């Protein structure tokens, strides 16, 4: 007979004694269990003791988390959180440097536990740490020369403890003084500082900016781009990541009026406050440093750096939102002058006639004719074409940039189309407006960055005006595709669809420069797009004859079983998941995998992202598949209901799923990407005997069914199919037949 579900068998350790094996009744109060353990070792004052996990986490057992204790868990009897907090509060104020250092080291480790953190914070521990940072550095200035390693370690542990304590969200960030902010900023501004101190300082500044508007203002006054650039020029990718994260945080919280700064201004970038983000990010120096020392450095870009570069890319493009959502004022002479300039560059108008009434009529007629050649919908008043948002004035900005910086191409496109028949001309004005709108949709201009995405494009870091250059390449592509399609005005939407497909396919290759992007587009002509579409149609061909449908129905269960086995095999391999929190870069990792017999899910925390599979025996926790009640996704997940910030993020919602088991227990997941989300939800549903309903399953089923049907329809009569693949032929004696295309 199996033991009751409320009884958990564990081992409990106590220093200097043999571990005890005992059964814990989860219905009993935790204090009664601790008293029973203390009595077994003849320890008085059981209220001064607590239980904690004996693994690397050392987290305390509380009434809230006791249900997480599983059979076979190893626990440790230790000092209670309140006692521990009191002792450490006293020890970190010791006059002995060695004792103080050891106490701070312990504090940095224990502060990860929310139970301990609450007790330490109740003793006004945060204030004590900030005072140590503010005044302690001066106190030990004289000792730096003779005790520099000790001093650096003390400060590092102090800042680490502070970061861990603040991460729990118990104390408001608004409570910190200007002196503390200045001190943290001074660590960032120093040319030579311990790496760990620099990391913690950058992390603190980022959290201050993200969590408090008032602190944003103060941090922005203390940090300039000139002080952050050296950290980007270093070789430590983690420091570079923290630095870009600080820039992103300041950028994200900057008021709109401070983001939109004249990019042509001559402000010295090294002394420029980080609030003037548009100016800074448009400057060649910062962009070039990120491109050279981060993107093109001789090392792989890790996921966190890729995420921060993606965030920077999104925030940079979001500077365009104001112009994208601004309608043109037909009465604004300065805006009308831009249209006049487009006409002047295209047609090089001679000196204007005098202002007699006859000349005025002649001039209006000439303008109307030229505006028609420029491809505007409203020939009489083209300003009306820019009253739709999006793309608003951004389209006109792009057109002017193209006309000024790529004048030959601009004039050629306008004159080419004005010389064609009316129905075959590619309207430059209308095309530019629709293309700008399409590019804004592709790059998601105006949307906040995703919590999980790391999809940045290196080519957008290669030019100071990357969006405008992107537009210039695409408008020339549009004109080329129009000619290849021999399109008429009725085909306008079809052409735009083809151009969007060309751009999207080129972007998926992640070109490293705008020139490479242009080269990719050259290979994606309209003819090539037709070939790709034809190939995809053939691959997805759905045979509708009755015998074929019967064959599909017959082999579909076999294919579904194959997909099911693949999903379960992937669950056996396991996946590394992130634990998202308010400060994303400080995420912890955890791993989950299915046992080979498909009976148990093994999971546990990791210190860092693993390389390859994690063995079962290194994962501390287990969940029997038989205990799983249900699998829920998206908004139905408990952790999506709890975390307001994540709840609002569409991408995170689409990657969230939870396993519900026992009465009130759940195991919460946020998949690293959509593919892993489909793998895990399919696999878990398969374990529960439910249908696999993901998009990935539908695609795999279509692909495998199509392949299987085509194989079965092949004329293979009298053709012997070998069981083993043919041998690989030997290498030729020479390669004289090879032609070098270069």
């Amino acid at each position: 007979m199996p033991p009751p579900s409320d009884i958990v068998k564990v081992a409990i350790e106590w220093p200097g004694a043999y571990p005890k094996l005992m059964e814990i009744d989860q219905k009993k109060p935790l204090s009664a269990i601790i008293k029973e353990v203390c009595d077994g070792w003849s320890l008085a004052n059981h209220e001064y003791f607590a239980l904690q996990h004996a693994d690397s986490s050392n987290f305390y057992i509380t009434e809230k988390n006791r249900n997480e204790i599983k059979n076979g868990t190893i626990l440790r009897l230790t000092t209670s959180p309140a006692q521990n907090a009191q002792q450490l509060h006293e020890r970190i104020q010791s006059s002995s440097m060695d004792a103080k250092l050891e106490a701070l080291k312990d504090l940095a480790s224990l502060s990860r536990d929310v139970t301990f953190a609450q007790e330490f914070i109740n003793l006004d521990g945060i204030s004590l740490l900030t005072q140590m940072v503010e005044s302690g550095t001066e106190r030990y200035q004289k000792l730096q020369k003779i005790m520099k390693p000790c001093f650096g370690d003390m400060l590092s542990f102090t800042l680490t403890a502070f970061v861990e304590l603040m991460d729990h969200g118990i104390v408001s960030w608004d409570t910190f003084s200007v002196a503390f902010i200045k001190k943290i900023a001074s660590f960032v501004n120093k040319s030579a500082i311990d790496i760990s101190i620099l990391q913690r300082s950058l992390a603190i500044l980022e959290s201050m900016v993200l969590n408090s508007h008032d602190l944003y203002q103060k941090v922005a006054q203390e940090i300039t781009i000139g002080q952050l650039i050296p950290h980007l020029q270093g070789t430590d990718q983690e420091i570079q990541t923290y630095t870009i994260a600080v820039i992103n945080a300041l950028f994200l919280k900057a008021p709109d009026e401070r983001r939109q700064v004249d990019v042509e201004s001559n402000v010295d970038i090294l002394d420029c406050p980080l609030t003037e983000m548009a100016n800074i990010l448009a400057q060649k120096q910062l962009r070039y440093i990120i491109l050279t020392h981060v993107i093109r450095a001789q090392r792989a870009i890790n996921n966190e750096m890729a995420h921060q570069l993606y965030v920077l890319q999104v925030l940079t493009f979001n500077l365009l939102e104001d112009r994208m959502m601004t309608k043109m004022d037909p009465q604004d002479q300065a805006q009308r002058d831009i249209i006049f300039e487009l006409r002047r560059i295209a047609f090089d108008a001679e000196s204007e006639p005098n202002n007699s009434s006859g000349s005025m009529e002649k001039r209006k007629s000439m303008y109307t004719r030229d505006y028609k050649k420029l491809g505007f919908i409203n020939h009489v008043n083209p300003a009306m074409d820019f009253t739709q948002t999006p793309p608003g004035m951004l389209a006109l900005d792009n057109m002017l940039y193209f006309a000024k910086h790529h004048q030959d191409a601009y004039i050629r496109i306008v004159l080419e189309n004005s010389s064609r028949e009316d129905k075959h001309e590619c309207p430059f004005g209308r095309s530019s407006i629709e293309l700008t709108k399409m590019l804004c949709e592709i790059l998601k201009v105006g949307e906040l960055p995703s919590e999980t995405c790391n999809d940045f494009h290196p080519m957008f870091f290669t030019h100071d005006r990357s969006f405008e250059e992107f537009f210039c390449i695409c408008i020339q592509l549009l004109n080329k595709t129009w000619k290849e399609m021999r399109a008429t005005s009725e085909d306008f939407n079809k052409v735009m669809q083809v151009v969007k497909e060309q751009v999207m396919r080129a972007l998926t290759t992640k070109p490293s420069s705008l020139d490479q992007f242009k080269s990719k587009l050259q290979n994606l002509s309209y003819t090539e797009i037709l070939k790709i579409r034809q190939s995809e149609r053939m691959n997805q061909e759905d045979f509708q004859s009755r015998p074929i449908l019967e064959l599909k129905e017959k082999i579909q269960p076999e294919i579904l079983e194959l997909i099911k086995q693949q999903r379960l095999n992937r669950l056996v391999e396991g996946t590394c998941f992130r634990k998202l929190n308010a400060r994303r870069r400080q995420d912890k990792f955890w791993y989950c995998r299915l046992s080979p017999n498909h009976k148990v899910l093994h999971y546990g925390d990791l210190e860092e992202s693993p390389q390859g599979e994690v063995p079962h025996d290194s994962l501390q926790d287990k969940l029997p598949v038989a205990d799983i009640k249900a699998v829920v996704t998206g908004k139905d997940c408990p952790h999506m209901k709890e975390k307001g910030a994540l709840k609002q993020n569409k991408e995170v919602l689409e990657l969230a799923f939870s396993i519900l088991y026992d009465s009130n227990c759940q195991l919460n997941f946020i998949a690293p990407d959509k593919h892993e989300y489909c793998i895990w939800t399919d696999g878990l549903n398969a374990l529960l005997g439910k249908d696999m309903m993901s998009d990935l399953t539908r695609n795999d089923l279509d692909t495998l069914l199509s392949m299987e049907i085509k194989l079965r329809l092949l004329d293979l009569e009298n053709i012997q199919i070998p069981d083993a693949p043919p041998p690989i032929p030997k290498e030729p004696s020479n390669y004289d037949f090879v032609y070098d295309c270069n």
Side-chain angles (χ1 to χ4, degrees):
M1 183 176 175
S5 59
D6 294 320
I7 303 299
V8 183
K9 295 181 178 181
V10 300
I12 300 180
E13 299 176 342
W14 172 251
Y18 289 108
K20 278 190 175 185
L21 296 177
M22 68 178 293
E23 294 182 349
I24 292 179
D25 186 349
Q26 292 285 37
K27 291 181 179 178
K28 276 188 179 182
L30 190 58
S31 58
I33 295 171
I34 293 171
K35 184 178 186 306
E36 183 182 340
V37 175
C38 290
D39 291 345
W41 275 309
S42 302
L43 298 172
N45 301 320
H46 71 274
E47 63 272 13
Y48 293 157
F49 292 91
L51 291 173
Q52 67 179 181
H53 288 281
D55 58 20
S56 58
S57 69
N58 293 328
F59 287 166
Y60 281 100
I61 305 297
T62 64
E63 291 290 355
K64 288 184 178 179
N65 64 22
R66 61 184 296 177
N67 287 330
E68 296 176 9
I69 302 174
K70 306 299 177 187
N71 282 316
T73 301
I74 301 175
L75 304 178
R76 181 188 299 120
L77 185 66
T78 185
T79 314
S80 70
Q83 286 289 105
N84 225 341
Q86 183 64 50
Q87 291 170 9
L88 277 173
H89 193 272
E90 294 169 2
R91 287 170 57 201
I92 62 175
Q93 300 180 73
S94 170
S95 57
S96 167
M97 293 289 285
D98 290 337
K100 193 185 196 78
L101 179 62
E102 195 62 30
L104 287 168
K105 184 177 180 180
D106 291 343
L107 179 62
S109 175
L110 284 168
S111 295
R112 293 180 299 163
D113 185 279
V114 65
T115 310
F116 169 84
Q118 183 68 69
E119 296 292 344
F120 188 78
I121 289 169
N122 289 343
L123 297 172
D124 210 15
I126 292 284
S127 297
L128 178 59
L129 291 179
T130 55
Q131 289 169 17
M132 290 173 64
V133 171
E134 289 175 26
S135 60
T137 48
E138 282 82 5
R139 187 183 306 167
Y140 298 113
Q141 281 290 325
K142 296 177 182 179
L143 298 175
Q144 280 196 57
K145 292 183 180 179
I146 57 174
M147 302 185 69
K148 190 170 183 180
C150 178
F151 170 78
D153 289 343
M154 282 181 58
L155 185 55
S156 175
F157 288 135
T158 304
L159 294 177
T160 302
F162 176 84
V163 168
E164 295 291 354
L165 291 168
M166 292 302 298
D167 263 356
H168 297 298
I170 300 170
V171 178
S172 170
W173 283 92
D174 288 311
T175 58
F176 298 106
S177 65
V178 174
F180 180 70
I181 297 169
K182 286 180 178 290
K183 183 59 65 176
I184 297 298
S186 71
F187 299 145
V188 173
N189 296 339
K190 283 183 180 177
S191 57
I193 191 77
D194 184 82
I195 291 293
S196 60
I197 295 173
L198 180 57
Q199 285 178 354
R200 294 348 178 246
S201 300
L202 288 167
I204 291 169
L205 291 178
E206 182 198 2
S207 292
M208 284 179 172
V209 172
L210 291 176
N211 290 285
S212 169
H213 177 71
D214 290 339
L215 290 187
Y216 154 74
Q217 302 276 11
K218 295 169 184 175
V219 171
Q221 292 171 3
E222 297 297 324
I223 299 293
T224 65
I225 194 66
Q227 291 147 353
L228 289 178
I229 279 179
H231 304 317
L232 291 173
Q233 291 173 315
T235 57
D236 189 312
Q237 188 170 114
E238 193 170 0
I239 292 296
Q240 292 175 325
T241 304
Y242 278 74
T243 304
I244 296 177
V246 172
I247 294 174
N248 286 340
L250 285 158
F251 192 1
L252 189 63
K253 294 298 179 179
D256 290 341
E257 66 273 12
R258 290 194 173 184
R259 292 186 197 174
Q260 301 293 345
V261 181
D262 179 12
V263 297
E264 302 294 340
S265 64
N266 295 317
V267 178
D268 184 356
I269 185 173
L270 294 178
D271 296 323
C272 185
L274 270 166
T275 47
E276 298 180 4
M277 298 308 302
N279 187 20
I280 292 169
L281 295 172
Q283 296 292 331
K284 184 175 182 180
Q285 186 178 10
L286 179 62
R287 177 193 60 76
Y288 180 77
I289 286 168
I290 292 175
L291 179 67
T292 306
H293 295 278
V294 178
I295 297 175
R296 292 181 177 172
Q298 298 300 312
R299 61 174 179 271
I301 292 178
N302 61 36
N303 287 338
E304 194 49 53
M305 174 60 85
H307 173 74
Q308 294 301 338
L309 290 171
Y310 152 78
V311 172
L312 182 59
Q313 173 185 292
V314 170
L315 295 176
T316 305
F317 284 139
N318 281 356
L319 291 172
L320 305 169
E321 184 182 10
D322 183 59
R323 295 293 284 174
M324 180 181 77
M325 301 307 295
T326 300
K327 295 181 179 181
M328 185 171 185
D329 181 2
Q331 307 304 318
D332 188 318
Q333 188 59 43
Q335 295 179 1
R336 291 165 62 89
D337 286 345
I338 298 176
I339 299 176
F340 293 152
E341 181 67 4
L342 289 173
R343 176 193 163 277
R344 185 195 66 77
I345 294 173
F347 304 112
D348 195 22
E350 297 178 358
S351 57
E352 300 292 342
N354 58 44
N355 289 328
S356 65
S357 59
S359 297
M360 181 66 72
E361 290 299 320
K362 183 178 179 182
R363 185 167 59 179
K364 284 183 178 179
S365 174
M366 179 177 65
Y367 280 7
T368 301
R369 185 188 70 239
D370 289 348
Y371 290 148
K372 183 180 179 182
K373 290 180 181 179
L374 279 171
F376 290 112
I377 297 174
N378 192 317
H379 307 152
V380 177
N381 185 8
M384 300 302 296
D385 288 14
F386 300 96
T387 55
Q388 179 189 358
T389 59
M393 287 295 292
L394 183 60
L396 188 59
D397 295 342
N398 284 338
M399 293 168 70
L400 183 63
Y401 181 90
F402 181 51
K404 283 188 170 182
H405 293 83
H406 300 270
Q407 194 170 112
D408 291 343
Y410 167 70
I411 293 173
R412 185 186 72 250
I413 287 175
V414 172
L415 295 183
E416 267 184 14
N417 286 294
S418 63
S419 63
R420 293 180 190 157
E421 295 180 40
D422 284 352
K423 67 175 184 176
H424 283 290
E425 68 175 1
C426 175
F428 174 73
R430 182 185 175 191
S431 299
S432 297
I433 292 168
E434 290 301 318
L435 179 63
T436 300
K437 182 180 178 181
M438 185 185 80
L439 296 182
C440 288
E441 290 173 357
I442 291 174
L443 298 177
K444 299 181 179 179
V445 175
E447 294 185 19
L448 287 175
S450 161
E451 291 277 355
T452 57
C453 186
N454 54 14
D455 185 28
F456 81 98
H457 294 278
M459 73 176 193
F460 292 127
F461 291 86
T462 62
H463 200 283
D464 299 330
R465 306 289 291 274
S466 59
F467 183 80
E468 289 87 343
E469 288 293 324
F470 185 44
F471 168 84
C472 293
I473 293 171
C474 293
I475 192 66
Q476 294 178 74
L477 168 72
L478 192 153
N479 190 64
K480 172 175 170 284
T481 302
W482 184 283
K483 289 189 289 185
E484 290 172 349
M485 292 178 67
R486 298 177 182 176
T488 64
S489 54
E490 288 80 11
D491 300 320
F492 185 86
N493 290 334
K494 292 181 183 178
V495 175
M496 294 304 297
Q497 289 172 6
V498 173
V499 170
K500 184 173 184 178
E501 186 173 347
Q502 290 170 314
V503 172
M504 293 292 286
R505 288 185 182 276
L507 284 177
T508 55
T509 65
K510 292 294 181 71
S512 59
S513 66
L514 289 163
D515 286 338
Q516 197 176 98
F517 173 69
K518 195 172 184 179
S519 176
K520 297 283 184 185
L521 290 176
Q522 292 293 332
N523 298 326
L524 284 171
S525 63
Y526 176 58
T527 305
E528 186 62 27
I529 292 293
L530 288 179
K531 288 180 182 177
I532 293 171
R533 287 179 174 179
Q534 179 67 20
S535 174
E536 290 176 350
R537 271 197 298 269
M538 289 180 66
N539 290 336
Q540 298 171 2
E541 191 172 11
D542 186 15
F543 301 101
Q544 296 299 323
S545 64
R546 185 172 178 179
I548 298 299
L549 292 175
E550 289 177 355
L551 179 60
K552 281 181 67 176
E553 190 175 340
K554 181 181 177 182
I555 64 177
Q556 183 164 319
E558 180 186 335
I559 299 296
L560 282 172
E561 182 61 27
L562 181 66
I563 294 172
K564 174 183 173 181
Q565 290 305 317
Q566 187 272 340
R567 300 294 193 264
L568 294 177
N569 289 340
R570 279 288 291 106
L571 264 61
V572 170
E573 291 176 15
T575 302
C576 180
F577 297 93
R578 288 178 179 272
K579 291 183 177 179
L580 287 182
N581 59 20
R583 241 172 13 89
R584 185 185 187 280
R585 286 182 303 96
Q586 294 298 312
D587 296 346
K588 303 296 187 296
F589 297 95
W590 69 288
Y591 200 87
C592 187
R593 63 180 297 180
L594 181 66
S595 63
N597 63 4
H598 301 173
K599 297 285 182 72
V600 179
L601 281 173
H602 298 263
Y603 62 96
D605 292 340
L606 301 174
E607 292 298 324
E608 56 185 3
S609 182
Q611 301 297 323
E613 293 183 21
V614 175
H616 292 98
D617 52 13
S618 66
L619 300 173
Q620 309 91 349
D621 301 307
K622 299 178 183 179
L623 172 60
V625 172
D627 291 351
I628 298 177
K629 306 298 182 187
V631 175
V632 295
T633 60
K635 293 180 179 179
D636 296 327
C637 295
H639 58 317
M640 291 295 101
K641 294 175 182 176
E642 294 169 3
K643 298 190 176 183
L646 296 179
K647 185 179 175 184
Q648 303 302 322
N649 193 297
K650 182 181 176 184
E651 287 81 1
V652 173
L653 276 174
E654 291 176 349
L655 298 175
F657 61 99
S658 298
I659 296 173
L660 307 182
Y661 63 98
D662 290 346
S663 54
N664 270 327
C665 300
Q666 68 269 338
L667 191 59
N668 298 320
F669 298 77
I670 295 177
D673 52 49
K674 191 68 176 176
H675 183 268
E676 286 297 322
Y677 170 85
C678 293
I679 290 288
W680 274 85
T681 52
D682 282 345
L684 292 171
N685 282 324
L687 285 173
L688 298 178
K690 297 181 179 180
D691 293 335
M692 299 178 292
M693 305 297 293
S694 74
D695 294 338
L696 183 62
T697 291
R698 284 194 291 273
N699 292 336
D700 287 350
L701 181 61
D702 290 343
T703 302
L704 292 172
L705 268 176
S706 176
M707 289 172 60
E708 185 66 21
I709 288 172
K710 288 175 181 177
L711 283 172
R712 295 195 181 197
L713 293 177
L714 285 175
D715 185 8
L716 299 177
E717 189 176 354
N718 299 324
I719 298 176
Q720 185 177 0
I721 300 176
D723 294 328
I728 298 174
K730 293 181 180 179
E731 290 191 18
S733 57
N734 63 67
Y735 292 88
D736 295 343
F737 56 86
V738 175
Y739 177 71
D740 187 358
C741 296
N742 297 322

